[in-house]
Amino acid sequence: FLSATFHVTYSYVSVGLVLKEMSVVSHAVLNILKRLLVVVLLYISSVRVATFSNFVGLAICTFGLVLYSTDQQ
């Protein structure tokens, strides 16, 4: 129940407030950064154990984000 409530709240804030101030693409990039931060914090706090394929996935996400960011400037 709480998970659903937080998800609905997040969706409302995301669509209702944030997207009025920024582009959809910028919002997607920030969402990727948020997800990367959550993953990194899980690894730092030792809740998850990172495998080689996890690091490859993080590297691909980071590379794509950097590539997109430099292309937009």
Side-chain angles (χ1 to χ4, degrees), residues 9-72:
T9 303
Y10 169 78
S11 295
Y12 172 76
V13 169
S14 179
V15 172
L17 301 175
V18 174
L19 288 178
K20 289 181 182 178
E21 300 297 325
M22 65 176 31
S23 73
V24 174
V25 176
S26 296
H27 181 265
V29 169
L30 288 176
N31 197 19
I32 291 170
L33 285 173
K34 179 195 72 161
R35 290 171 189 250
L36 283 171
L37 179 64
V38 167
V39 169
V40 169
L41 290 175
L42 285 172
Y43 291 145
I44 290 172
S45 65
S46 299
V47 173
R48 300 275 182 160
V49 177
T51 64
F52 178 74
S53 62
N54 295 129
F55 285 115
V56 170
L58 282 172
I60 290 171
C61 289
T62 304
F63 176 73
L65 186 59
V66 168
L67 187 64
Y68 172 79
S69 297
T70 57
D71 185 47
Q72 294 300 312

